[in-house]
Amino acid sequence: MDWTVISRNIDFLLGGLVVTFQLAVISLAGGIFFGVLLGLARISSRKYISCPATLYIHFFRSQPLILVIFWFYFFVPILFGKPMSAFISAIIGFIAFETAYFAEIIRGGIQSISKGQMQAAYATGMKHHQVMRYIVLPQALKNMLPSLMTQSIVLFQDTSLAYVIGLQEFLRRTSLVDSREVKSIELYLFSALVYLVICLTMSLFVRRFENKVHQGV
Amino acid sequence: MIEIKNVSLWLGDDFQVLKNVSTRFQKGRTTVICGPSGSGKSSLLRCINRLERFQKGEIIVDGLSVRDPKTDIYKLRKNVGMVFQHFDLYPHMTALDNITLAPQKVRCLSRQTAESKALQLLERVGIMDKANSFPAQLSGGQQQRVAIARSLAMEPKIMLFDEPTSALDPEMIGEVLDVMIDLALEGMTMIVVTHEMGFAKKVAQEIIFMDHGEIVEAKNTSDFFNHPDHPRTRDFLNRILSHV
């Protein structure tokens, strides 16, 4: 075992980790934002809004993520009429995919809020968007924080799939170093350790948060 | 003030909850609606502010048609307060915030104005010290009084009460009824679905008895208790009053 391969390439590898984090954070923000909109659309009483939303969710939830990434890699340049970086097309692919999952979490959270409160709010003359914004969403988002965080951890791990379109995120850079130095065991053990530490920290955080949510209210 | 004309309501395809109901409620009067459970009393109440959409007939509230799609239903609801059986306070907000939300968002009052108004209302319902408590920290009776204050904060012309004391422990019923009695004596137009016959005798001018989605009997209070016409009314009164 030669662990110096790690220290010799640490800057290059950590640079990849930065890309991984950028990918995860931007996709997460986009996924939650569009997920809220799509989740609301999914439970709309208007068929012309709920039907396309439902279709979208079913479609993306039945596709393997790796296919979606490939697909957007080839599709995005056509859509915009010019070549796009792997980073941009990966981001768009991840957001499109994660939106479907977040929408389902958000739909569940919204439906967990009692109808009575909504009716009480309507009875005071509030409009639908006000009832959602001030009554339903604040409580629903709090209830679904644990599921949102779990999905975020999954998303963090899934960013490694952007490797297939040549994006130099953490795992891709690990394999690049490996092809140069041929130290597979050390390098892949190291990357496993990095994912373990990050994801474990995140899940411990989620669990503490879950306890807090259960104690409160 | 409120006119109900031949209203029919179906839930689902073949379950008719209201059958051709007609009545009117006058300004400044308190009407009690009673009847066995499932008789359509709550549904009738919920049709008045379109929480329930009825399929046939017409309801006119203060000159506005409830059924007409062109009616600004939000404007109509501003004038019609409603209090529910299970209080339905917003659990993530303090009592004060529960009361000030709609005045700020619907009537566009400043936070300051809404809060000073809310504190007056909390004083009126006797729980000024609970302004900063969350619903979970309040007893049922206190929650219902906050809910009444929340409705009153919109300065409605009409108040609807849907079994406001049915979910309360017996020792808390009195404190809620006291607030409602004060309100009725001040001349609020009130429609109250309740089984509290003591309350009905004390403040209601008129009592409506419903059964199987129909109005069986509608009379002024003393006639209702002393000379009920319909055998179903007599039967209901016997059962409900035998425990008093």
Coordinates of all heavy atoms in Angstrom, one line a residue, chain A residues 18-88:
Chain A
V18 N -14.9 19.8 -4.8 CA -15.6 21.2 -4.9 C -16.6 21.1 -6.0 O -17.7 21.5 -5.8 CB -14.5 22.3 -5.2 CG1 -15.2 23.6 -5.5 CG2 -13.6 22.5 -4.0
V19 N -16.2 20.5 -7.2 CA -17.2 20.4 -8.3 C -18.4 19.5 -7.8 O -19.5 19.9 -8.1 CB -16.5 19.7 -9.5 CG1 -17.5 19.5 -10.6 CG2 -15.4 20.6 -10.0
T20 N -18.1 18.4 -7.1 CA -19.2 17.6 -6.6 C -20.2 18.4 -5.7 O -21.4 18.3 -5.9 CB -18.6 16.4 -5.8 OG1 -17.9 15.6 -6.7 CG2 -19.7 15.6 -5.1
F21 N -19.6 19.2 -4.8 CA -20.4 20.0 -4.0 C -21.2 21.1 -4.8 O -22.4 21.3 -4.5 CB -19.6 20.7 -2.9 CG -19.5 19.9 -1.6 CD1 -18.3 19.3 -1.3 CD2 -20.6 19.7 -0.8 CE1 -18.2 18.5 -0.1 CE2 -20.5 18.9 0.3 CZ -19.3 18.3 0.7
Q22 N -20.6 21.7 -5.7 CA -21.3 22.7 -6.6 C -22.5 22.0 -7.3 O -23.6 22.5 -7.2 CB -20.4 23.3 -7.6 CG -19.4 24.3 -7.1 CD -18.3 24.7 -8.1 OE1 -18.1 24.0 -9.1 NE2 -17.7 25.8 -7.8
L23 N -22.2 20.9 -7.8 CA -23.2 20.1 -8.5 C -24.4 19.8 -7.6 O -25.5 20.0 -7.9 CB -22.6 18.8 -9.1 CG -23.1 18.1 -10.3 CD1 -23.2 19.1 -11.4 CD2 -22.2 16.9 -10.7
A24 N -24.0 19.3 -6.4 CA -25.1 18.9 -5.4 C -25.9 20.1 -5.0 O -27.1 20.0 -5.0 CB -24.4 18.2 -4.3
V25 N -25.2 21.2 -4.6 CA -25.9 22.3 -4.0 C -26.9 23.0 -5.1 O -28.0 23.3 -4.8 CB -24.9 23.3 -3.4 CG1 -25.7 24.6 -3.1 CG2 -24.3 22.7 -2.2
I26 N -26.3 23.2 -6.3 CA -27.1 23.8 -7.3 C -28.3 23.0 -7.7 O -29.5 23.4 -7.8 CB -26.3 24.2 -8.5 CG1 -25.2 25.2 -8.1 CG2 -27.2 24.8 -9.6 CD1 -24.2 25.5 -9.2
S27 N -28.1 21.7 -7.9 CA -29.2 20.7 -8.2 C -30.2 20.7 -7.1 O -31.4 20.6 -7.4 CB -28.6 19.3 -8.5 OG -27.6 19.4 -9.4
L28 N -29.7 20.7 -5.9 CA -30.6 20.6 -4.7 C -31.5 21.9 -4.7 O -32.8 21.7 -4.6 CB -29.8 20.6 -3.5 CG -30.5 20.3 -2.2 CD1 -31.2 18.9 -2.2 CD2 -29.6 20.4 -1.0
A29 N -30.9 23.0 -4.9 CA -31.7 24.3 -4.8 C -32.7 24.3 -6.0 O -33.9 24.5 -5.7 CB -30.8 25.5 -4.9
G30 N -32.3 23.9 -7.2 CA -33.2 23.9 -8.3 C -34.2 22.8 -8.1 O -35.4 23.1 -8.4
G31 N -33.8 21.7 -7.7 CA -34.8 20.5 -7.5 C -35.9 20.9 -6.5 O -37.0 20.6 -6.7
I32 N -35.5 21.5 -5.4 CA -36.5 21.9 -4.4 C -37.4 23.0 -4.9 O -38.6 22.9 -4.8 CB -35.8 22.3 -3.1 CG1 -35.2 21.0 -2.4 CG2 -36.9 22.9 -2.1 CD1 -34.5 21.3 -1.1
F33 N -36.8 24.0 -5.6 CA -37.6 25.1 -6.1 C -38.7 24.6 -7.1 O -39.9 24.8 -6.9 CB -36.7 26.1 -6.7 CG -37.5 27.3 -7.4 CD1 -38.0 28.3 -6.6 CD2 -37.7 27.3 -8.7 CE1 -38.7 29.3 -7.2 CE2 -38.4 28.4 -9.3 CZ -38.9 29.4 -8.5
F34 N -38.2 23.9 -8.1 CA -39.2 23.4 -9.1 C -40.0 22.2 -8.5 O -41.2 22.0 -8.9 CB -38.4 22.9 -10.4 CG -37.8 24.0 -11.1 CD1 -36.4 24.2 -11.2 CD2 -38.6 24.9 -11.8 CE1 -35.9 25.3 -11.9 CE2 -38.1 26.0 -12.5 CZ -36.7 26.2 -12.5
G35 N -39.5 21.5 -7.5 CA -40.3 20.5 -6.9 C -41.5 21.0 -6.1 O -42.6 20.4 -6.2
V36 N -41.3 22.2 -5.5 CA -42.5 22.8 -4.8 C -43.5 23.2 -5.9 O -44.7 22.9 -5.7 CB -42.0 24.1 -4.0 CG1 -43.2 24.9 -3.6 CG2 -41.2 23.7 -2.8
L37 N -43.1 23.8 -6.9 CA -44.0 24.2 -8.0 C -44.7 23.0 -8.6 O -46.0 22.9 -8.7 CB -43.3 25.0 -9.1 CG -42.7 26.3 -8.7 CD1 -42.1 27.0 -10.0 CD2 -43.7 27.2 -8.1
L38 N -43.9 21.9 -8.9 CA -44.5 20.8 -9.5 C -45.4 20.0 -8.5 O -46.5 19.5 -8.9 CB -43.4 19.8 -10.0 CG -43.8 18.8 -11.0 CD1 -44.2 19.4 -12.3 CD2 -42.7 17.8 -11.2
G39 N -45.0 20.0 -7.2 CA -45.8 19.3 -6.2 C -47.1 20.0 -6.1 O -48.2 19.3 -5.9
L40 N -47.1 21.3 -6.1 CA -48.4 22.1 -6.0 C -49.3 21.8 -7.2 O -50.5 21.7 -7.2 CB -48.1 23.6 -5.9 CG -47.6 24.1 -4.5 CD1 -47.2 25.6 -4.6 CD2 -48.7 23.9 -3.5
A41 N -48.6 21.8 -8.4 CA -49.3 21.5 -9.7 C -50.0 20.1 -9.6 O -51.1 20.0 -10.1 CB -48.4 21.6 -10.8
R42 N -49.2 19.2 -9.0 CA -49.7 17.8 -9.0 C -51.0 17.7 -8.2 O -51.9 16.8 -8.6 CB -48.6 16.9 -8.3 CG -49.0 15.5 -8.0 CD -48.4 14.6 -8.9 NE -48.2 13.2 -8.3 CZ -49.1 12.3 -8.4 NH1 -50.3 12.5 -8.9 NH2 -48.8 11.1 -7.9
I43 N -51.2 18.5 -7.2 CA -52.4 18.4 -6.4 C -53.5 19.4 -6.8 O -54.5 19.6 -6.1 CB -52.2 18.4 -4.9 CG1 -51.3 19.7 -4.5 CG2 -51.5 17.2 -4.4 CD1 -51.1 19.8 -3.0
S44 N -53.2 20.2 -7.9 CA -54.1 21.2 -8.3 C -55.5 20.5 -8.7 O -55.5 19.4 -9.2 CB -53.6 21.9 -9.5 OG -54.6 22.7 -10.1
S45 N -56.6 21.2 -8.4 CA -57.9 20.6 -8.8 C -58.1 20.8 -10.3 O -59.0 20.3 -10.9 CB -59.0 21.3 -8.0 OG -58.9 22.7 -8.1
R46 N -57.3 21.7 -10.9 CA -57.5 21.9 -12.4 C -56.7 20.8 -13.2 O -55.5 20.7 -13.0 CB -57.0 23.2 -12.8 CG -57.8 24.3 -12.1 CD -57.4 25.7 -12.6 NE -58.0 26.7 -11.8 CZ -57.3 27.6 -11.0 NH1 -56.0 27.7 -11.1 NH2 -57.9 28.4 -10.2
K47 N -57.4 20.0 -14.0 CA -56.9 18.9 -14.7 C -55.8 19.3 -15.6 O -54.8 18.6 -15.7 CB -58.0 18.2 -15.5 CG -58.8 17.2 -14.6 CD -58.4 15.8 -14.8 CE -58.8 14.8 -13.8 NZ -59.9 15.1 -12.9
Y48 N -55.9 20.4 -16.3 CA -54.9 20.8 -17.3 C -53.6 21.2 -16.6 O -52.5 21.4 -17.2 CB -55.4 21.9 -18.2 CG -55.7 23.2 -17.5 CD1 -54.8 24.2 -17.3 CD2 -57.0 23.4 -17.1 CE1 -55.1 25.4 -16.7 CE2 -57.4 24.6 -16.5 CZ -56.4 25.6 -16.3 OH -56.7 26.8 -15.6
I49 N -53.6 21.4 -15.3 CA -52.4 21.6 -14.5 C -51.9 20.3 -13.9 O -50.7 20.0 -14.0 CB -52.6 22.7 -13.4 CG1 -52.9 24.0 -14.0 CG2 -51.3 22.8 -12.5 CD1 -53.2 25.1 -13.1
S50 N -52.8 19.6 -13.3 CA -52.3 18.4 -12.6 C -51.9 17.2 -13.5 O -51.0 16.5 -13.2 CB -53.4 17.9 -11.6 OG -54.5 17.4 -12.3
C51 N -52.5 17.1 -14.7 CA -52.2 16.0 -15.6 C -50.8 16.1 -16.1 O -50.0 15.1 -16.0 CB -53.2 15.9 -16.7 SG -54.6 14.9 -16.3
P52 N -50.4 17.2 -16.7 CA -49.0 17.3 -17.2 C -48.0 17.1 -16.0 O -46.9 16.4 -16.2 CB -48.8 18.7 -17.7 CG -50.2 19.2 -17.9 CD -51.1 18.4 -17.0
A53 N -48.3 17.6 -14.8 CA -47.4 17.5 -13.7 C -47.2 16.0 -13.3 O -46.1 15.5 -13.1 CB -47.9 18.3 -12.5
T54 N -48.4 15.3 -13.3 CA -48.3 13.9 -12.9 C -47.5 13.1 -13.9 O -46.7 12.2 -13.6 CB -49.8 13.3 -12.8 OG1 -50.5 14.2 -12.0 CG2 -49.8 11.9 -12.3
L55 N -47.8 13.4 -15.2 CA -47.1 12.7 -16.3 C -45.5 12.9 -16.1 O -44.8 12.0 -16.2 CB -47.5 13.3 -17.6 CG -48.5 12.5 -18.4 CD1 -49.1 13.3 -19.6 CD2 -47.8 11.2 -18.9
Y56 N -45.2 14.2 -15.9 CA -43.7 14.5 -15.8 C -43.1 13.7 -14.7 O -42.1 13.0 -14.8 CB -43.6 16.0 -15.5 CG -42.2 16.4 -15.3 CD1 -41.5 17.0 -16.3 CD2 -41.5 16.3 -14.0 CE1 -40.1 17.4 -16.2 CE2 -40.2 16.7 -13.9 CZ -39.5 17.3 -14.9 OH -38.2 17.7 -14.7
I57 N -43.8 13.6 -13.5 CA -43.3 12.9 -12.3 C -43.1 11.4 -12.6 O -42.1 10.8 -12.4 CB -44.2 13.2 -11.1 CG1 -44.1 14.6 -10.7 CG2 -43.8 12.2 -10.0 CD1 -45.1 15.1 -9.7
H58 N -44.2 10.8 -13.2 CA -44.1 9.4 -13.5 C -43.0 9.1 -14.5 O -42.3 8.1 -14.4 CB -45.5 8.9 -14.1 CG -46.5 8.7 -13.0 ND1 -46.2 8.1 -11.9 CD2 -47.8 9.1 -12.9 CE1 -47.3 8.1 -11.1 NE2 -48.2 8.7 -11.7
F59 N -42.9 10.0 -15.5 CA -41.9 9.8 -16.6 C -40.5 9.7 -15.9 O -39.7 8.8 -16.1 CB -41.9 10.9 -17.7 CG -40.9 10.7 -18.7 CD1 -41.0 9.7 -19.7 CD2 -39.7 11.5 -18.7 CE1 -40.0 9.6 -20.6 CE2 -38.7 11.3 -19.6 CZ -38.8 10.4 -20.6
F60 N -40.1 10.8 -15.2 CA -38.7 10.9 -14.7 C -38.5 9.8 -13.6 O -37.3 9.4 -13.4 CB -38.4 12.3 -14.2 CG -38.0 13.2 -15.4 CD1 -38.8 14.0 -16.0 CD2 -36.7 13.1 -15.8 CE1 -38.4 14.8 -17.1 CE2 -36.2 13.9 -16.9 CZ -37.1 14.7 -17.5
R61 N -39.5 9.5 -12.9 CA -39.3 8.5 -11.8 C -39.1 7.1 -12.4 O -38.8 6.1 -11.7 CB -40.4 8.5 -10.8 CG -40.1 9.7 -9.8 CD -41.3 10.0 -8.9 NE -41.9 8.9 -8.2 CZ -41.8 8.6 -6.9 NH1 -41.1 9.4 -6.1 NH2 -42.4 7.6 -6.4
S62 N -39.5 6.9 -13.7 CA -39.3 5.6 -14.3 C -38.1 5.5 -15.1 O -37.8 4.5 -15.8 CB -40.6 5.2 -15.1 OG -40.7 6.2 -16.2
Q63 N -37.3 6.6 -15.1 CA -36.0 6.5 -15.9 C -34.8 6.4 -15.0 O -34.8 7.0 -13.9 CB -35.9 7.9 -16.7 CG -36.9 8.1 -17.7 CD -36.9 7.1 -18.8 OE1 -35.9 6.8 -19.4 NE2 -38.1 6.5 -19.1
P64 N -33.8 5.6 -15.5 CA -32.6 5.6 -14.7 C -31.9 6.9 -14.8 O -31.8 7.5 -15.9 CB -31.7 4.5 -15.4 CG -32.5 4.0 -16.5 CD -33.8 4.7 -16.7
L65 N -31.3 7.4 -13.7 CA -30.7 8.7 -13.7 C -29.5 8.8 -14.7 O -29.4 9.8 -15.4 CB -30.1 9.0 -12.3 CG -29.3 10.2 -12.1 CD1 -30.1 11.5 -12.5 CD2 -28.9 10.4 -10.6
I66 N -28.8 7.7 -14.9 CA -27.7 7.7 -15.8 C -28.1 8.0 -17.3 O -27.5 8.7 -18.0 CB -26.9 6.4 -15.7 CG1 -25.5 6.6 -16.2 CG2 -27.5 5.3 -16.4 CD1 -24.5 5.6 -15.7
L67 N -29.3 7.5 -17.6 CA -29.9 7.7 -18.9 C -30.3 9.2 -19.1 O -30.1 9.8 -20.1 CB -31.1 6.8 -19.1 CG -31.8 6.9 -20.5 CD1 -30.8 6.5 -21.6 CD2 -33.0 6.0 -20.5
V68 N -30.9 9.7 -18.0 CA -31.3 11.1 -18.0 C -30.1 12.0 -18.2 O -30.1 13.0 -19.0 CB -32.0 11.5 -16.7 CG1 -32.3 13.0 -16.7 CG2 -33.3 10.7 -16.6
I69 N -29.0 11.7 -17.6 CA -27.8 12.5 -17.7 C -27.2 12.4 -19.2 O -27.0 13.5 -19.8 CB -26.7 12.0 -16.7 CG1 -27.1 12.2 -15.3 CG2 -25.3 12.7 -17.0 CD1 -26.2 11.5 -14.3
F70 N -27.2 11.2 -19.7 CA -26.8 11.1 -21.1 C -27.7 11.9 -22.0 O -27.3 12.6 -22.9 CB -26.9 9.6 -21.5 CG -25.6 8.9 -21.4 CD1 -25.6 7.6 -20.8 CD2 -24.4 9.4 -21.9 CE1 -24.4 6.9 -20.7 CE2 -23.2 8.7 -21.8 CZ -23.2 7.5 -21.2
W71 N -28.9 11.7 -21.8 CA -30.0 12.3 -22.6 C -29.8 13.8 -22.7 O -29.9 14.4 -23.7 CB -31.3 11.9 -22.1 CG -32.4 11.8 -23.1 CD1 -32.4 10.8 -24.1 CD2 -33.5 12.6 -23.3 NE1 -33.5 11.0 -24.9 CE2 -34.2 12.2 -24.4 CE3 -33.9 13.7 -22.7 CZ2 -35.3 12.8 -24.9 CZ3 -35.1 14.3 -23.1 CH2 -35.8 13.9 -24.2
F72 N -29.7 14.4 -21.5 CA -29.6 15.9 -21.4 C -28.3 16.3 -22.0 O -28.2 17.4 -22.6 CB -29.8 16.4 -20.0 CG -31.2 16.7 -19.7 CD1 -32.0 15.6 -19.2 CD2 -31.8 17.9 -20.0 CE1 -33.3 15.9 -18.9 CE2 -33.1 18.1 -19.7 CZ -33.9 17.1 -19.2
Y73 N -27.2 15.5 -21.9 CA -25.9 15.9 -22.5 C -26.0 16.1 -24.0 O -25.5 17.0 -24.6 CB -24.9 14.8 -22.2 CG -23.5 15.1 -22.6 CD1 -22.9 16.2 -22.2 CD2 -22.8 14.2 -23.4 CE1 -21.6 16.5 -22.6 CE2 -21.5 14.4 -23.8 CZ -20.9 15.6 -23.4 OH -19.6 15.9 -23.8
F74 N -26.9 15.2 -24.6 CA -27.0 15.3 -26.1 C -28.1 16.3 -26.4 O -28.1 16.9 -27.5 CB -27.3 13.9 -26.7 CG -26.1 13.0 -26.5 CD1 -26.2 11.9 -25.7 CD2 -24.9 13.3 -27.1 CE1 -25.1 11.0 -25.6 CE2 -23.8 12.5 -27.0 CZ -23.9 11.3 -26.2
F75 N -29.1 16.4 -25.6 CA -30.3 17.2 -25.9 C -30.1 18.7 -25.6 O -30.6 19.5 -26.4 CB -31.5 16.6 -25.0 CG -32.7 17.4 -25.2 CD1 -33.5 17.3 -26.3 CD2 -33.2 18.2 -24.1 CE1 -34.7 18.0 -26.5 CE2 -34.4 18.9 -24.3 CZ -35.1 18.8 -25.4
V76 N -29.4 19.1 -24.5 CA -29.3 20.5 -24.2 C -28.6 21.3 -25.3 O -29.1 22.4 -25.6 CB -28.6 20.6 -22.8 CG1 -28.2 22.1 -22.6 CG2 -29.5 20.1 -21.7
P77 N -27.6 20.8 -25.9 CA -27.0 21.6 -27.0 C -27.9 21.9 -28.1 O -28.0 23.0 -28.7 CB -25.8 20.8 -27.4 CG -25.5 19.9 -26.3 CD -26.8 19.6 -25.6
I78 N -28.8 20.9 -28.4 CA -29.8 21.1 -29.5 C -30.8 22.1 -29.1 O -31.1 23.0 -29.8 CB -30.5 19.7 -29.8 CG1 -29.4 18.7 -30.3 CG2 -31.6 19.9 -30.8 CD1 -30.0 17.3 -30.4
L79 N -31.2 22.0 -27.8 CA -32.2 22.9 -27.3 C -31.7 24.4 -27.3 O -32.5 25.3 -27.7 CB -32.5 22.5 -25.8 CG -33.8 23.2 -25.2 CD1 -35.0 22.6 -25.8 CD2 -33.8 22.9 -23.7
F80 N -30.5 24.6 -27.0 CA -29.9 26.0 -26.9 C -29.2 26.4 -28.2 O -28.8 27.5 -28.4 CB -29.0 26.2 -25.7 CG -29.7 26.2 -24.4 CD1 -29.9 25.0 -23.7 CD2 -30.3 27.3 -23.9 CE1 -30.6 25.0 -22.5 CE2 -30.9 27.3 -22.7 CZ -31.1 26.2 -22.0
G81 N -29.0 25.4 -29.1 CA -28.4 25.7 -30.4 C -26.9 26.0 -30.3 O -26.4 26.5 -31.3
K82 N -26.3 25.6 -29.2 CA -24.9 25.8 -29.1 C -24.3 24.8 -28.1 O -25.0 24.3 -27.3 CB -24.5 27.2 -28.7 CG -25.1 27.6 -27.4 CD -24.7 29.1 -27.0 CE -25.3 29.5 -25.7 NZ -25.1 30.8 -25.4
P83 N -23.0 24.4 -28.3 CA -22.5 23.4 -27.3 C -22.5 23.9 -25.9 O -22.4 25.1 -25.7 CB -21.1 23.3 -27.8 CG -20.8 24.3 -28.8 CD -22.1 24.9 -29.3
M84 N -22.7 23.0 -25.0 CA -22.8 23.4 -23.6 C -21.8 22.6 -22.8 O -21.4 21.5 -23.2 CB -24.2 23.0 -23.0 CG -25.3 23.9 -23.4 SD -25.3 25.4 -22.4 CE -26.4 26.4 -23.3
S85 N -21.3 23.2 -21.7 CA -20.3 22.4 -20.9 C -21.0 21.2 -20.3 O -22.2 21.2 -20.1 CB -19.7 23.3 -19.9 OG -20.7 23.6 -18.9
A86 N -20.2 20.2 -20.0 CA -20.7 19.0 -19.3 C -21.4 19.4 -18.0 O -22.4 18.9 -17.5 CB -19.6 18.0 -19.0
F87 N -20.8 20.5 -17.3 CA -21.3 20.9 -16.0 C -22.7 21.4 -16.1 O -23.6 21.0 -15.4 CB -20.4 22.0 -15.5 CG -20.7 22.4 -14.1 CD1 -20.4 21.6 -13.0 CD2 -21.4 23.6 -13.8 CE1 -20.8 22.0 -11.7 CE2 -21.7 24.0 -12.5 CZ -21.4 23.2 -11.5
I88 N -23.0 22.3 -17.1 CA -24.3 22.9 -17.3 C -25.3 21.8 -17.7 O -26.4 21.7 -17.1 CB -24.3 23.9 -18.4 CG1 -23.4 25.1 -18.1 CG2 -25.7 24.4 -18.7 CD1 -23.9 26.0 -16.9

